[in-house]
Amino acid sequence: MAGLVKTTNVHVRSKDFVDIRKEIWYAQYLSSICDAINSYATKKKFLKAVKDNKGGLRVFGVEGDIRFGIRTKYEWIALQEDCEAAFLQGTLKYRPTFVRVKFEDLEDELEWLEKSGKVRYGVLASCPSQIGDDVRIMDKVRDICSEYDNISVNFSSGDNVVNGLFQVAHLGGGAAE
């Protein structure tokens, strides 16, 4: 069998591919997710619970509608890859479990945070801005997460602080005065 070459053809619709790491917001977004993970991962209560096999940290993402959420798809993949690289490098202090969930199942998934006798934290890292005709998904996810003290909401959105402060620069008007 020497000399045989295995080839694979991959068909990609070029208009669907987004190199998410080249998007201006991605580096700050990744940093905010890793900061949240590290903040939870270094809490003494959490470290003790992990040692006793009673601790956990999950990064949650809400599945998007592919018609409106192409960036959500690529962001989720890149986030997992980059968190793994950061963990192996030692800059991410804990390897979280990644859980992608349909919006309608989010509340059931988040019940994991409340397991008695456990120390569990979550980071809601990914959420599309629209699913079907519903353009309030992000607000609904924030509201669901507000019921829990042990989850942070870190997904990127158009109404975040950076977009609010630097809107003029983003629109091409130069630096904010």
Side-chain angles (χ1 to χ4, degrees):
M1 294 284 195
L4 274 178
V5 176
K6 182 177 179 181
T7 61
T8 303
N9 293 323
V10 177
H11 300 279
V12 177
R13 291 175 35 189
S14 61
K15 70 176 186 158
D16 288 346
F17 180 74
V18 176
D19 189 348
I20 210 75
R21 290 179 181 96
K22 290 184 180 176
E23 301 258 334
I24 196 164
W25 56 269
Y26 181 77
Q28 183 226 346
Y29 160 78
L30 175 63
S31 180
S32 79
I33 302 300
C34 291
D35 287 348
I37 293 168
N38 283 342
S39 177
Y40 290 135
T42 56
K43 293 187 179 299
K44 291 179 181 180
K45 184 177 178 180
F46 179 75
L47 292 170
K48 183 181 181 329
V50 168
K51 187 177 179 180
D52 295 339
N53 204 24
K54 294 182 179 185
L57 199 161
R58 289 185 178 175
V59 175
F60 295 96
V62 176
E63 288 182 12
D65 181 331
I66 201 66
R67 293 176 297 156
F68 306 109
I70 194 78
R71 280 178 171 72
T72 303
K73 177 179 94 170
Y74 289 114
E75 144 194 302
W76 186 249
I77 296 165
L79 178 62
Q80 290 179 80
E81 292 172 348
D82 294 341
C83 283
E84 179 66 12
F87 178 76
L88 294 173
Q89 182 186 60
T91 54
L92 191 65
K93 306 302 180 197
Y94 183 83
R95 180 185 277 143
T97 300
F98 286 83
V99 179
R100 197 150 188 238
V101 61
K102 292 180 180 178
F103 173 73
E104 55 269 16
D105 298 328
L106 181 61
E107 289 182 79
D108 290 339
E109 272 304 319
L110 293 182
E111 286 179 15
W112 172 87
L113 293 165
E114 299 294 300
K115 177 85 174 180
S116 180
K118 304 284 185 176
V119 177
R120 294 178 169 175
Y121 294 104
V123 177
L124 201 302
S126 182
C127 182
S129 61
Q130 180 174 350
I131 297 177
D133 295 332
D134 192 342
V135 295
R136 294 200 59 249
I137 292 298
M138 290 180 163
D139 290 334
K140 291 176 180 179
V141 168
R142 287 182 184 111
D143 187 56
I144 291 168
C145 291
S146 72
E147 297 292 327
Y148 301 91
D149 293 331
N150 53 343
I151 189 166
S152 64
V153 177
N154 295 74
F155 55 74
S156 183
S157 63
D159 63 350
N160 68 21
V161 171
V162 171
N163 289 337
L165 289 175
F166 298 100
Q167 184 175 15
V168 174
H170 177 67
L171 295 174
E177 296 179 310

